[in-house]
Amino acid sequence: MTQHQPSETPDAPLVRSSVDRAIATITLDSSRNRNALSARLRAELSKALADAMADDEVRAIVLTGEGPVFCAGADLKEIAATLAGEPVEPAPELPEIFEQIMGGPKPVVAVLNGAARAGGIGLVAAADIALAPKSTTFAFTEVRIGVVPAIISVPVSARVHSRQLSRYFLTGEVFDAAAAAQAGLITEAVPDREMQDTIDSILRGLRGAAPHALRRTKELVGELSGGAQAVPGRRGEAFARMGELSAEFFAGEDAAEGRVAFFEKRPPHWAR
């Protein structure tokens, strides 16, 4: 996909949107912090998704990123500031954004431009189709900074097979795109040089689908697949429970140590 030089101005948008031949492309454009899910980025992403879902000219949505990382997950500096009592502008939380993607009427194709970590993998799992270059890496890093991958477990458990889910959630280890495809997290690990051809093939199919049939087929796929937490009637309850669990751990001592270790570029005290 066309490379874009990110703006360095503080008020530059963190999310860019464009529409071409019935496909809306939403690009995370906060590469200076690895497209971390800050409040401002979440607000802009939520609006871009809502606008694309409501646009009658849009058949499907591509979600991608700028820079070497697709999305690094939570903005740990912002979380630390919030816990210290500093004000943060209100913004949609991740459950709302995941629900926009999973429950929205139009298919979302995650096209990874680089690595995904923690909450960023939640965006990948929420998407209907996910493509990643073979050079891409993934990791659920939550346990290594003293928290639990709680909220993202809702979309991720709908995709990843239980044995791999246990391994990658519990170890926090890095795994590659081939392993992600084998686990069910992504649709396909694509040789880097073939990425554009693969994207074009999928978009041709989406562009050729009848809008109403496409919408109902997305609903059907959701009804036929996924874990119990991802069933539409249960997602609200699951997100609420996972939100409580996530908040409990983010406010804990281990999470504080994990953040300090992250910023000081050292292992946390429990690392062996």
Side-chain angles (χ1 to χ4, degrees):
M1 304 186 72
T2 303
Q3 290 298 305
H4 163 81
Q5 293 298 321
S7 173
E8 295 298 319
T9 58
D11 57 349
L14 301 185
V15 175
R16 293 182 286 111
S17 300
S18 63
V19 178
D20 177 44
R21 294 177 54 217
I23 303 297
T25 297
I26 297 174
T27 304
L28 308 182
D29 194 4
S30 183
S31 58
R32 285 173 293 177
N33 69 346
R34 305 193 303 163
N35 294 323
L37 296 164
S38 64
R40 185 175 154 209
L41 185 142
R42 295 196 313 273
E44 293 184 20
L45 174 57
S46 180
K47 183 180 185 305
L49 287 167
D51 288 347
M53 292 291 182
D55 188 343
D56 291 339
E57 298 301 315
V58 170
R59 189 75 46 82
I61 299 165
V62 168
L63 177 61
T64 189
E66 185 64 47
V69 175
F70 171 69
C71 181
D75 186 329
L76 296 180
K77 289 184 178 179
E78 188 173 272
I79 289 174
T82 301
L83 291 171
E86 296 180 22
V88 174
E89 290 189 17
E93 298 295 340
L94 281 181
E96 182 177 338
I97 292 172
F98 292 156
E99 184 60 34
Q100 283 182 281
I101 296 171
M102 298 170 75
K106 297 170 185 178
V108 176
V109 182
V111 176
L112 276 69
N113 54 294
R117 297 289 186 268
I121 304 180
L123 295 175
V124 177
D128 301 282
I129 299 169
L131 304 175
K134 282 191 172 180
S135 58
T136 305
T137 62
F138 302 81
F140 296 101
T141 52
E142 286 87 347
V143 293
R144 296 197 177 192
I145 62 167
V147 297
V148 173
I151 290 173
I152 66 168
S153 72
V154 179
V156 171
S157 66
R159 303 294 186 192
V160 177
H161 310 314
S162 61
R163 285 298 185 187
Q164 286 97 328
L165 187 71
S166 294
R167 173 179 177 175
Y168 297 133
F169 266 15
L170 294 172
T171 67
E173 68 187 282
V174 175
F175 55 102
D176 62 19
Q182 184 179 28
L185 176 61
I186 64 173
T187 307
E188 186 176 354
V190 184
D192 292 36
R193 66 184 180 278
E194 298 175 12
M195 192 66 179
Q196 191 59 55
D197 287 343
T198 303
I199 295 168
D200 291 344
S201 177
I202 286 175
L203 296 187
R204 276 196 301 273
L206 293 171
R207 285 184 171 117
H212 184 66
L214 197 62
R215 175 175 183 164
R216 186 61 187 92
T217 301
K218 173 172 177 170
E219 293 176 359
L220 177 64
V221 171
E223 293 163 6
L224 295 176
S225 62
Q229 288 195 113
V231 173
R234 300 180 184 175
R235 278 202 294 262
E237 177 186 353
F239 275 132
R241 289 189 294 104
M242 293 301 101
E244 292 173 0
L245 180 60
S246 180
E248 173 187 346
F249 275 81
F250 266 113
E253 293 181 2
D254 281 353
E257 161 66 8
R259 285 191 296 274
V260 171
F262 176 84
F263 297 138
E264 294 179 353
K265 301 185 185 306
R266 61 167 175 80
H269 65 71
W270 57 79
R272 297 293 184 268

